[in-house]
Amino acid sequence: KIQNVRQVQDQGTRQGLEIPKIVHQNVKSRCVTPAFYELNKRWKFDGWSVYVHDEEAMTRLLRLQEINKMIPNLRQILRNCGND
């Protein structure tokens, strides 16, 4: 039984499981302002990936069957948030 965060980290490292170094950002549309672009460059770190998703892409992602298997209540959650 895992008791604390350190044990989770140790177990994950032993099994080769690490949290991916990825930053996901969600924006309303694919068109971003120059200010957003400049600010977004600050999120680029060595060894990290940065992904920017627009609302349409997020909607497609959340409707994927694989995601719904991982998060069984996702459809209900989206309905409750007014996104379905």
Side-chain angles (χ1 to χ4, degrees):
K1 184 176 177 183
I2 296 171
Q3 299 295 324
N4 60 44
V5 173
R6 183 68 188 156
Q7 285 180 302
V8 171
Q9 291 171 335
D10 292 345
Q11 181 182 18
T13 302
R14 282 194 303 272
Q15 295 177 3
L17 303 173
E18 294 184 14
I19 297 173
K21 295 181 178 182
I22 302 173
V23 175
H24 290 276
Q25 296 174 308
N26 190 27
V27 295
K28 280 285 190 196
S29 75
R30 296 177 72 179
C31 300
V32 296
T33 65
F36 175 86
Y37 176 77
E38 290 301 319
L39 182 63
N40 196 46
K41 288 196 298 189
R42 294 182 186 179
W43 283 92
K44 293 186 180 186
F45 302 107
D46 288 338
W48 285 74
S49 299
V50 177
Y51 294 94
V52 180
H53 309 279
D54 65 1
E55 290 289 327
E56 185 178 323
M58 287 304 299
T59 298
R60 285 193 312 270
L61 174 68
L62 294 175
R63 291 179 191 275
L64 289 177
Q65 197 165 6
E66 294 82 13
I67 298 295
N68 286 283
K69 288 178 186 174
M70 293 182 342
I71 310 170
N73 297 327
L74 181 61
R75 291 219 185 275
Q76 184 61 44
I77 293 167
L78 292 174
R79 243 181 262 120
N80 292 343
C81 295
N83 293 324
D84 194 42

